[in-house]
Amino acid sequence: MCGIVGYIGDKLADSVLIVGLERLEYRGYDSAGVAVIEEGELIYRKKKGKIKILREILEKNPVGGNIGIGHTRWATHGEVSDENAHPHFDCNKKIAVVHNGIIENYIELKEELIKKGHIFSSTTDTEVIAHLIEENFNGDLFEATRKTVKLLKGAFAICVISEKEPDKIVVARFGSPLIVGIGKDENFVASDVPALLPHTKSFVYLKDSEMAVLYKDKVLFFDFDGNKIEKKIERASVEIYDVDKGDYPYYMLKEIYEQPEVAERILNDKLKGDEIFFENLNLSKSFLSKVKRVIIHACGTSFHAGLVGRFFLEKFARVYTEVDISSEFRYRNPLLEGDTLMIAISQSGETADTIAGLREAKSKFIKVLSIVNQEKSTIARESDGIIPIKAGPEIGVASTKAYTGEILCLYLFSLYLGRINYVVGEEEFKRYLKPLRDIPMKIRKILSDTSFIEELSDKYHKSKDFIFLGRGINYPTALEGALKLKEISYIHATGYPAGEFKHGPIALINPNMPCVCISPKSEIYDKMFSNIKEVAARKGIIISVATEGDEKIKEVSKHVIYIPDIIEELSPVLSIIPLQLLSYFIATKLGLDVDKPRNLAKSVTVE
Ligand code: F6R
């Protein structure tokens, strides 16, 4: 992961870098640093901890200079420490490098460099890059960097400056995102668009095996063989990248409250009257009608959305559907045949494991459809077609609005496929579309009074463990509810299929164990009810999520959180909202930074 940023122009580089890093903090926040060239000399500041610590250091001990690079780290190789914070340097501290990615062959490279007399000051993989550039330097920073990147295995986006050539930043991309921002008499580079939005709306997206050299007044682009290449400048939409927190204390809360608008936006974008319409699907109806198998793959929260999607695809389109965790999918030599469609789901579009799975499919000539939030991301660009989630930027590390957006996109796509396959008739189709239109209003209703959920968080925020149980289409809700709680509150939580619970895990139940049972109205409500009774009989504290009007659930529950009535298929969109709020309130009660939970980063760009 990690976020990188670079600037060259007339402004003071450190101010551009620090704002850029703050806007990239969602990519990691273990340590941060900047290097600038001030009056011909390379100087730097770097420190363990969040970016605000680096900001304080720069305020007390400012740096000048109009060219610089910066980094916010999510540690992979080497502990979290001042020494391992980027930038990293060559032996003489004349060359500075920031890096996002993992250099897989760094141990061999490091051993060779040490034999040649290089002295290392950190335990990171990145530092080899700086020493290799030093080794390859023959009066041309671009050439030295170009030769270096050809020696690296793994994934990287790098920015390099040197006091030997103080008029340029050399950058390269392979496997990790990097964009160049074009300004007037100033140019920028960063891992992601929001870092540069205060300065420019014009961007060039580097592809793998591409490099650029940024000067104050021009940017030149090359491939890894040193050939000059032409790149298109694209305009970013300001509206899409509005990243302010507004009056909310945390992005996560803001994003939870944005869910009605996200649902509205998805419906407005993809529903034209009683027709479902996907602008960039790029997969013909005749191709889709021949699809015999769908493989969904994704990570984390997006994987949970995929589990919900399987129900839709099998029910509405009667297509055999598998759902896999991307990091597992790729390494089990999956069977991929011609009549298979892959669906990759990703909020960021930059998750390395998901990209790897997508490439595996493409290498076997399998068409890939992506459900993505970041429409300019690697996953979006490498897929045959995309369904954009249009959730707007999701900054809080815990995914919320992207999740409900992904489920809605999967619902619409499955119905679309169901029509193509003649599985869903016209009347049925309309019947399934109708409740969709009520979704925004029903989410608003849940959000309009959260006092009960807050009270529950008051009662249970000191619990050591939580169990989440669900069945059928709400089993993924149990997984997602548990994930939300553990990632932001650090409370151990397990999501389990309620019917399976008695086959072992029920032994965990004790009178202090909160057990959140997701049991909205459904065809298997009675089965779920029996499973809850089994837990209640063992004195677990039952907190049920149930449909308004369900009085029976009170017989087995200590607390009931009601959600509005909705068809079973759409219940996961509503039942997750109270669980997002419960996690949020518990984490804030515990005094934790919910937007930046420990050990995590928003975008996992390493495998
Ligand atoms: C959890 C969370 C992560 C992501 C996962 C995949 O709240 O945010 O589990 O869902 O890292 O990320 P994307 O969807 O960007 O591929």
Side-chain angles (χ1 to χ4, degrees):
M1 266 101 71
C2 308
I4 59 182
V5 61
Y7 173 73
I8 182 162
D10 291 325
K11 294 181 184 134
L12 276 175
D14 68 338
S15 59
V16 178
L17 298 177
I18 202 83
V19 171
L21 290 178
E22 281 165 351
R23 289 175 153 248
L24 290 177
E25 202 170 15
Y26 71 90
R27 301 177 72 84
Y29 33 79
D30 289 334
S31 60
V34 296
V36 298
I37 301 173
E38 185 182 7
E39 293 175 4
E41 197 188 335
L42 188 72
I43 47 180
Y44 69 94
R45 307 278 182 265
K46 58 179 189 170
K47 194 74 190 161
K48 174 178 159 178
K50 292 185 178 150
I51 290 163
K52 69 173 194 249
I53 297 177
L54 178 68
R55 185 182 262 285
E56 283 159 17
I57 290 173
L58 284 167
E59 275 161 13
K60 278 197 208 118
N61 202 353
V63 293
N66 313 112
I67 168 173
I69 54 178
H71 186 272
T72 181
R73 178 169 189 241
W74 185 78
T76 56
H77 289 59
E79 59 168 353
V80 178
S81 66
D82 292 350
E83 294 72 35
N84 286 343
H86 297 217
H88 290 287
F89 307 96
D90 63 318
C91 296
N92 299 313
K93 290 213 164 66
K94 304 279 178 217
I95 299 166
V97 176
V98 289
H99 164 224
N100 167 209
I102 290 180
I103 306 303
E104 286 165 3
N105 58 339
Y106 85 101
I107 294 180
E108 300 97 276
L109 293 169
K110 190 168 174 175
E111 279 166 4
E112 277 172 37
L113 286 159
I114 289 173
K115 274 190 213 142
K116 288 182 180 157
H118 289 260
I119 312 263
F120 281 75
S121 348
S122 77
T123 52
T124 64
D125 52 339
T126 302
E127 198 183 343
V128 295
I129 304 175
H131 290 277
L132 281 171
I133 296 174
E134 177 181 32
E135 192 65 28
N136 288 322
F137 188 78
N138 215 346
D140 184 341
L141 188 64
F142 168 72
E143 263 309 298
T145 309
R146 193 183 71 73
K147 282 187 187 146
T148 297
V149 293
K150 293 200 124 193
L151 301 171
L152 305 177
K153 290 201 183 118
F156 53 86
I158 57 168
C159 300
V160 186
I161 55 171
S162 168
E163 62 177 51
K164 295 176 187 172
E165 291 182 39
D167 63 334
K168 64 177 70 114
I169 305 175
V170 180
V171 307
R173 171 194 164 141
F174 189 83
S176 300
L178 200 59
I179 49 146
V180 173
I182 309 290
K184 190 167 166 1
D185 283 332
E186 56 181 1
N187 290 304
F188 312 81
V189 60
S191 301
D192 197 1
V193 165
L196 306 182
L197 275 180
H199 310 285
T200 182
K201 308 279 177 292
S202 300
F203 298 100
V204 175
Y205 293 85
L206 288 191
K207 288 195 184 134
D208 281 351
S209 307
E210 289 184 350
M211 299 182 70
V213 184
L214 283 74
Y215 300 86
K216 183 183 150 184
D217 54 355
K218 66 180 175 200
V219 183
L220 304 176
F221 297 95
F222 302 89
D223 62 21
F224 277 11
D225 292 325
N227 301 309
K228 249 180 144 181
I229 52 173
E230 292 300 319
K231 296 288 293 176
K232 198 170 104 210
I233 298 180
E234 300 183 36
R235 296 272 309 163
S237 147
V238 188
E239 193 189 84
I240 287 176
Y241 292 102
D242 171 12
V243 286
D244 288 332
K245 206 159 40 182
D247 292 334
Y248 290 92
Y250 287 101
Y251 281 110
M252 182 183 177
L253 191 62
K254 175 177 180 249
E255 288 157 7
I256 290 174
Y257 274 84
E258 278 171 359
Q259 290 176 105
E261 286 154 49
V262 172
E264 263 155 12
R265 208 176 304 140
I266 290 172
L267 300 183
N268 288 339
D269 187 56
K270 301 175 197 345
L271 265 184
K272 311 280 173 231
D274 277 343
E275 287 293 312
I276 296 173
F277 178 77
F278 299 109
E279 206 178 340
N280 294 309
L281 197 62
N282 288 337
L283 299 169
S284 68
K285 287 190 176 174
S286 91
F287 165 77
L288 288 172
S289 68
K290 294 188 195 92
V291 169
K292 295 277 173 300
R293 187 171 76 134
V294 173
I295 297 185
I296 298 180
H297 79 103
C299 303
T301 290
S302 295
F303 168 69
H304 298 156
L307 291 174
V308 178
R310 171 165 60 193
F311 282 82
F312 302 151
L313 282 158
E314 295 196 341
K315 172 152 195 173
F316 298 148
R318 300 303 296 153
V319 179
Y320 173 69
T321 305
E322 285 169 46
V323 192
D324 224 329
I325 291 172
S326 303
S327 53
E328 292 295 320
F329 166 77
R330 191 189 165 202
Y331 291 104
R332 66 177 168 78
N333 194 10
L335 287 171
L336 293 166
E337 287 145 12
D339 52 6
T340 300
L341 171 70
M342 169 178 278
I343 300 183
I345 309 174
S346 177
Q347 185 286 127
S348 62
E350 298 295 349
T351 301
D353 289 319
T354 313
I355 295 174
L358 176 157
R359 289 183 181 158
E360 170 79 20
K362 301 262 332 173
S363 74
K364 294 186 171 151
F365 307 103
I366 296 299
K367 296 262 187 217
V368 180
L369 170 66
S370 292
I371 297 180
V372 278
N373 198 29
Q374 303 281 352
E375 292 173 47
K376 304 275 188 197
S377 60
T378 306
I379 291 180
R381 278 179 286 123
E382 292 193 13
S383 300
D384 293 286
I386 65 165
I387 298 182
I389 304 166
K390 298 214 176 281
E394 193 181 63
I395 308 291
V397 163
S399 185
T400 51
K401 60 178 180 171
Y403 176 68
T404 43
E406 286 163 356
I407 295 176
L408 289 172
C409 291
L410 284 159
Y411 185 89
L412 286 164
F413 176 70
S414 307
L415 278 178
Y416 179 80
L417 197 58
R419 287 294 283 153
I420 293 174
N421 289 351
Y422 299 103
V423 179
V424 176
E426 197 166 338
E427 283 313 305
E428 205 182 0
F429 181 66
K430 287 188 185 153
R431 216 172 47 243
Y432 282 120
L433 284 189
K434 195 164 174 291
L436 264 180
R437 300 198 169 92
D438 297 334
I439 284 281
M441 177 266 288
K442 290 185 176 178
I443 302 179
R444 274 192 189 104
K445 191 165 176 211
I446 301 173
L447 294 173
S448 66
D449 183 3
T450 60
S451 52
F452 181 58
I453 301 171
E454 228 176 320
E455 275 167 35
L456 288 178
S457 69
D458 228 8
K459 284 198 172 74
Y460 298 112
H461 69 280
K462 296 214 171 109
S463 302
K464 294 272 171 286
D465 301 279
F466 266 74
I467 301 284
F468 288 76
L469 296 179
R471 281 193 82 137
I473 202 161
N474 276 295
Y475 160 48
T477 312
L479 295 178
E480 178 60 8
L483 175 60
K484 286 292 88 90
L485 186 67
K486 54 192 157 195
E487 69 182 324
I488 62 168
S489 73
Y490 318 146
I491 295 174
H492 172 257
T494 304
Y496 232 82
E500 176 69 10
F501 201 54
K502 57 186 170 295
H503 297 283
I506 201 164
L508 292 168
I509 294 297
N510 64 58
N512 299 318
M513 174 85 81
C515 188
V516 180
C517 299
I518 302 118
S519 39
K521 189 185 83 182
S522 83
E523 275 184 17
I524 47 168
Y525 175 87
D526 290 339
K527 303 275 174 219
M528 181 68 193
F529 191 83
S530 305
N531 298 144
I532 301 176
K533 277 188 114 167
E534 290 153 12
V535 179
R538 279 137 189 109
K539 307 253 178 305
I541 304 165
I542 308 290
I543 304 171
S544 291
V545 177
T547 305
E548 270 167 7
D550 179 355
E551 291 297 316
K552 182 176 158 185
I553 199 84
K554 288 183 180 162
E555 286 171 26
V556 284
S557 313
K558 177 145 189 197
H559 313 281
V560 183
I561 306 172
Y562 282 111
I563 57 168
D565 191 8
I566 191 92
I567 58 167
E568 180 177 355
E569 289 77 2
L570 283 169
S571 62
V573 180
L574 299 187
S575 57
I576 192 59
I577 312 277
L579 306 188
Q580 294 170 343
L581 288 163
L582 185 67
S583 305
Y584 172 81
F585 289 131
I586 288 180
T588 48
K589 289 247 145 58
L590 293 170
L592 300 169
D593 181 347
V594 297
D595 282 341
K596 298 188 191 93
R598 72 181 179 206
N599 303 339
L600 296 181
K602 181 75 181 156
S603 182
V604 188
T605 59
V606 290
E607 273 190 68

